[in-house]
Amino acid sequence: MAAHLTESFTNPPGYTFPHHRLSRVLRNPNKTPLVLVACGSFSPVTYLHLRMFEMAKDHVRQNTDFEIVGGYLSPVSDMYKKPGLLSARHRVNMCRMGAEDSNTWLMVDSWEAFQSYQRTAIVLDHFDYEINTVLGGVRTEDGEHRNVRVMLLAGSDLIGTMSEPGVWAYSDLEHILGRYGCFIVERAGTAMDQATDALARWRSNIHLISQLIQNDVSSTKVRLFLRRGLSVRYLLPNSVVDYIEEHGLYQDEGANTLVHPSPDKGKEREREVAASGSKKEAIP
């Protein structure tokens, strides 16, 4: 892999990379260590977001030569233009409650959330740099050093947008799918085979995961329920429901939200997809 330009990474004030649940020892030396990264709005985080990591874990164990050593939720910046986007502080807090209360290997990284908008390709570079350069990767039980493979975890609507001409810059597709790769979880209404046909160049780096039990819970539907005064308990972790009620969140679509224009014109291709509910909402 190409060397990182570390000066291109700008850390938010007081930021430290979370690695308290990152397994630093590879149990099976014949496997490739893997970290899964889910980028998204997470407004709010739902059980489907968390369930995706478990579906990926089963798929990895049964169908690949990877061994998962960690997983991360990476909430998008407040500078991402999307209706209904709650402030990063609340979204990060809810992700931490949901992920770390219910999983032993999932963490929340706030690097993306608390700064200017970062393209997905750069976010993956950040994880690769922190895990393999700063932390030095992982080791086998015999002490042999191994670099960790970082891959994107997303819903199948992400692949749909990637296969649409002009939505994603080719350089970003090459970086995300060629250098890193992705695990894509099936979602209702998305034709995964048709989408991946358009991305045949990177097919070996795209792993498709079928939902054996269909779940179409989305943050959009949760926000709608909350605005209508309906219960969302058991759609979200209890701690997240309590947090929403305590802070009076999502009572109307404009309250508690931040919608800012991004100053970086070069990221327009990724931001444009927000209008169709895609890209970062590929993890809804």
Side-chain angles (χ1 to χ4, degrees), residues 91-107:
R91 290 183 290 111
V92 168
N93 285 344
M94 289 187 289
C95 282
R96 285 175 175 158
M97 290 176 181
E100 302 203 8
D101 286 350
S102 60
N103 194 294
T104 59
W105 57 281
L106 187 56
M107 294 160 281

Side-chain angles (χ1 to χ4, degrees), residues 36 59-60 63-64 66 149-163 173-186 191-210:
L36 296 172
H59 181 86
V60 166
N63 300 284
T64 76
F66 293 116
R149 178 80 176 271
V150 174
M151 297 182 73
L152 184 67
L153 173 65
S156 55
D157 43 351
L158 177 72
I159 283 292
T161 68
M162 285 181 166
S163 65
L173 290 179
E174 175 63 35
H175 202 78
I176 295 167
L177 300 179
R179 174 173 176 161
Y180 293 108
C182 62
F183 284 85
I184 300 297
V185 177
E186 171 191 38
M192 290 203 294
D193 290 340
Q194 181 178 354
T196 53
D197 285 347
L199 302 170
R201 174 185 178 90
W202 304 285
R203 184 63 185 84
S204 63
N205 264 356
I206 301 173
H207 301 260
L208 303 180
I209 304 172
S210 297

Side-chain angles (χ1 to χ4, degrees), residues 208-227:
L208 303 180
I209 304 172
S210 297
Q211 281 203 68
L212 300 181
I213 299 177
Q214 292 296 319
N215 184 339
D216 67 348
V217 173
S218 72
S219 298
T220 302
K221 293 176 182 177
V222 167
R223 294 195 302 270
L224 179 61
F225 270 42
L226 289 167
R227 291 200 306 275

Side-chain angles (χ1 to χ4, degrees), residues 120-281:
T120 301
I122 300 302
V123 174
L124 295 177
D125 280 348
H126 154 74
F127 278 98
D128 194 22
Y129 171 73
E130 291 287 349
I131 293 169
N132 287 315
T133 302
V134 177
L135 295 178
V138 301
R139 297 191 179 276
T140 66
E141 293 180 348
D142 293 334
E144 180 184 351
H145 170 264
R146 297 286 180 83
N147 274 341
V148 175
R149 178 80 176 271
V150 174
M151 297 182 73
L152 184 67
L153 173 65
S156 55
D157 43 351
L158 177 72
I159 283 292
T161 68
M162 285 181 166
S163 65
E164 295 177 15
V167 174
W168 290 73
Y170 179 86
S171 59
D172 276 0
L173 290 179
E174 175 63 35
H175 202 78
I176 295 167
L177 300 179
R179 174 173 176 161
Y180 293 108
C182 62
F183 284 85
I184 300 297
V185 177
E186 171 191 38
R187 294 192 64 192
T190 304
M192 290 203 294
D193 290 340
Q194 181 178 354
T196 53
D197 285 347
L199 302 170
R201 174 185 178 90
W202 304 285
R203 184 63 185 84
S204 63
N205 264 356
I206 301 173
H207 301 260
L208 303 180
I209 304 172
S210 297
Q211 281 203 68
L212 300 181
I213 299 177
Q214 292 296 319
N215 184 339
D216 67 348
V217 173
S218 72
S219 298
T220 302
K221 293 176 182 177
V222 167
R223 294 195 302 270
L224 179 61
F225 270 42
L226 289 167
R227 291 200 306 275
R228 292 179 175 176
L230 301 176
S231 172
V232 295
R233 202 164 291 275
Y234 309 120
L235 298 177
L236 321 176
N238 282 337
S239 57
V240 175
V241 177
D242 293 341
Y243 184 92
I244 290 171
E245 292 177 350
E246 177 185 350
H247 291 86
L249 307 179
Y250 302 115
Q251 296 305 303
D252 72 69
E253 187 68 10
N256 314 116
T257 62
L258 295 172
V259 181
H260 300 297
S262 169
D264 191 338
K265 300 298 184 183
K267 300 187 179 97
E268 188 66 30
R269 286 177 185 258
E270 282 197 2
R271 296 199 327 271
E272 282 175 352
V273 192
S276 64
S278 304
K279 181 51 186 74
K280 290 294 182 182
E281 193 65 9

Side-chain angles (χ1 to χ4, degrees), residues 80-97:
Y80 181 61
K81 293 201 310 182
K82 182 172 179 60
L85 186 67
L86 203 66
S87 72
R89 177 177 65 88
H90 286 311
R91 290 183 290 111
V92 168
N93 285 344
M94 289 187 289
C95 282
R96 285 175 175 158
M97 290 176 181

Side-chain angles (χ1 to χ4, degrees), residues 23-142:
S23 177
R24 304 302 301 280
V25 178
L26 189 66
R27 295 190 303 270
N28 187 339
N30 297 317
K31 300 282 189 177
T32 299
L34 172 68
V35 160
L36 296 172
V37 176
C39 298
S41 301
F42 305 118
S43 187
V45 65
T46 73
Y47 271 130
L48 179 55
H49 296 136
L50 307 178
R51 176 69 187 150
M52 288 174 68
F53 282 88
E54 293 299 306
M55 286 187 279
K57 182 175 72 173
D58 287 340
H59 181 86
V60 166
R61 185 180 64 250
Q62 295 176 357
N63 300 284
T64 76
D65 291 324
F66 293 116
E67 178 180 314
I68 294 178
V69 296
Y72 289 89
L73 293 167
S74 181
V76 72
S77 166
D78 282 340
M79 301 299 286
Y80 181 61
K81 293 201 310 182
K82 182 172 179 60
L85 186 67
L86 203 66
S87 72
R89 177 177 65 88
H90 286 311
R91 290 183 290 111
V92 168
N93 285 344
M94 289 187 289
C95 282
R96 285 175 175 158
M97 290 176 181
E100 302 203 8
D101 286 350
S102 60
N103 194 294
T104 59
W105 57 281
L106 187 56
M107 294 160 281
V108 178
D109 181 33
S110 63
W111 181 84
E112 181 183 1
F114 292 129
Q115 61 172 310
S116 61
Y117 177 72
Q118 302 293 320
R119 300 187 340 268
T120 301
I122 300 302
V123 174
L124 295 177
D125 280 348
H126 154 74
F127 278 98
D128 194 22
Y129 171 73
E130 291 287 349
I131 293 169
N132 287 315
T133 302
V134 177
L135 295 178
V138 301
R139 297 191 179 276
T140 66
E141 293 180 348
D142 293 334

